[in-house]
Amino acid sequence: MIVLPGSHRAAGLVDDAALVRAMLEVEVAWARVLGSSVDLGDWVPSLDPVEVEAAGNPVLPLVSALRAKVSVAVHTGLTSQDVLDTALVLLARGALERVSADLGRVAGALVRLADEHRSSVMAGRTLTQHAVPITFGLKAARWLVGVLDAVDELEFVVRNLPVQCGGAAGTLSRVEDPVASASALAGYLGLVWPGLPWHTHRAPVTRIGDAVVRACDVLGVLAGDVLTLGRPEIGEVSEGFVAGRGGSSTMPHKRNPVLSVLVNSAALRAPGLGAQLHLCAARAVDERPDGAWHAEWPALRALLELAVVAASQAAELVEGLEVHADVMARRAREAASDLLAERGGGDDPASYLGAAELFVDEALKRWKWRDDR
């Protein structure tokens, strides 16, 4: 079976088994709202795919299995979308927290690189050509700021993840005290009650997707820079060596920058999945959509898995990144006439760095502020 390279890094977070467990968590929490106590231990039902297809979603088979397991009231007053949407939000929370944690590792490694190489002169490049001198510390600081922006957005989304609770058509008509019940469900699950159901208002899902796509954008820039700077004819950085990684099936000399390639690949895939979520949101008609909702589940899960894997790979990439400052300095000296043309000439690229070091300090201050919170 063809799998996403690195998918083991996301094992148990967004797969089918995780989704079933999350749906059970929602049903158990709702049973508490109804005044019932449900203790399932480690029990997780195996859903029949034929029954899932017949129902059009996995909730009905789950509820049938749950009602056969327990004698107390479960699911009463909810609808399938309440359970599945909330379960997907719970999966998203776990995935986003993992992504944020790995982005924290990326940021920590970038802080070290920015500080260590604040004076490591290299050629700045614009539109693929030599521009003016910069430092590798400044490049790492720019990566750092992008990562910190992404973490801030992910953390905001996680703090505001909403419960879905609307009943058959968004009225909670079968519940005695609808608002109190929905608020209680949110409280049991550690989510937010947004004030009304969002069956056909899919901003909570697109908000998750947008934050994830932007995180992948940031990692794509980092990976793309590493790929460029790591080309043999440039040779200014390289991925850390790991035995057995980066080999070729035909060329014994190859040491491919596998992590950078895979992170870059994730950045190229993520926007399409995010766009799919927006397309589904735009077709969320009636009180429950006729296919748009269904198309959303696999896109969201694929996007979450992609981000979890890419963030983990990026953390390993940056923590092991080898910076060849001597090569950077040599190339900058060789290109001094180009790099200093804006100033009118010269032969010392280190003498024309402007506020590069000050900008590094500003990025490091932001990290320190987060670290001190």
Side-chain angles (χ1 to χ4, degrees):
M1 181 175 66
I2 298 175
V3 297
L4 172 71
S7 59
H8 62 283
R9 297 172 186 258
L13 276 178
V14 294
D15 56 20
D16 287 350
L19 181 59
V20 173
R21 288 193 298 270
M23 290 191 296
L24 274 181
E25 186 178 352
V26 176
E27 291 288 0
V28 169
W30 184 248
R32 292 180 65 185
V33 174
L34 298 176
S36 302
S37 178
V38 177
D39 182 5
L40 299 175
D42 295 329
W43 178 78
V44 177
S46 177
L47 304 186
D48 185 338
V50 175
E51 293 180 6
V52 172
E53 180 185 30
N57 69 70
V59 179
L60 179 56
L62 177 88
V63 172
S64 298
L66 183 57
R67 284 177 171 157
K69 177 75 173 177
V70 302
S71 57
V72 299
V74 295
H75 193 72
T76 304
L78 291 184
T79 191
S80 295
Q81 188 171 2
D82 295 330
V83 178
L84 188 50
D85 277 355
T86 304
L88 288 169
V89 166
L90 294 177
L91 291 191
R93 179 171 64 189
L96 297 186
E97 288 173 345
R98 178 77 68 82
V99 172
S100 292
D102 280 332
L103 289 184
R105 290 175 53 199
V106 173
L110 290 177
V111 166
R112 174 181 58 78
L113 290 173
D115 192 34
E116 181 179 340
H117 292 283
R118 60 173 57 244
S119 301
S120 297
V121 179
M122 64 181 295
R125 298 172 174 91
T126 61
L127 304 180
T128 76
Q129 304 299 299
H130 286 145
V132 296
I134 64 169
T135 67
F136 185 74
L138 178 60
K139 184 175 285 287
R142 288 200 300 255
W143 293 339
L144 172 62
V145 169
V147 169
L148 293 179
D149 283 346
V151 172
D152 285 346
E153 186 165 6
L154 290 169
E155 290 178 348
F156 176 83
V157 170
V158 168
R159 288 195 303 271
N160 293 279
L161 287 172
V163 73
Q164 178 72 281
C165 191
T171 64
L172 275 178
S173 51
R174 200 174 174 187
V175 180
E176 270 190 36
D177 192 339
V179 173
S181 298
S183 297
L185 178 62
Y188 290 142
L189 295 172
L191 300 174
V192 173
W193 165 239
L196 72 165
W198 41 280
H199 288 167
T200 55
H201 172 61
R202 307 309 288 173
V205 174
T206 57
R207 192 174 297 120
I208 293 168
D210 290 347
V212 169
V213 170
R214 278 191 278 271
C216 289
D217 290 346
V218 169
L219 297 180
V221 169
L222 191 161
D225 276 346
V226 171
L227 288 168
T228 297
L229 298 178
R231 286 176 175 270
E233 59 271 26
I234 298 177
E236 295 181 352
V237 301
S238 56
E239 288 191 10
F241 175 75
V242 175
R245 176 181 289 163
S248 167
S249 62
T250 59
M251 294 171 282
H253 71 282
K254 293 289 291 290
R255 183 179 149 194
N256 296 317
V258 172
L259 293 177
S260 303
V261 167
L262 294 178
V263 172
N264 192 43
S265 170
L268 294 172
R269 287 186 59 203
L273 292 168
Q276 178 70 65
L277 297 179
H278 280 280
L279 180 60
C280 293
R283 297 297 301 143
V285 298
D286 297 325
E287 278 60 59
R288 185 161 304 110
D290 53 350
W293 177 52
H294 306 73
E296 190 182 81
W297 322 329
L300 179 61
R301 290 172 64 191
L303 182 56
L304 292 172
E305 180 185 30
L306 195 68
V308 169
V309 171
S312 175
Q313 291 167 336
E316 188 174 345
L317 165 64
V318 180
E319 287 171 345
L321 189 66
E322 297 173 1
V323 180
H324 309 302
D326 56 333
V327 177
M328 292 177 177
R330 186 180 78 247
R331 293 200 178 282
R333 287 194 301 271
E334 291 170 350
S337 60
D338 288 342
L339 297 176
L340 299 173
E342 180 188 62
R343 187 178 67 178
D347 57 7
D348 181 14
S351 67
Y352 195 58
L353 293 173
E357 191 158 349
L358 292 175
F359 293 153
V360 170
D361 288 337
E362 288 302 309
L364 297 185
K365 283 180 189 176
R366 182 168 171 194
W367 166 259
K368 187 175 185 307
W369 175 81
R370 284 186 58 87
D371 204 36
D372 288 343
R373 285 190 304 177

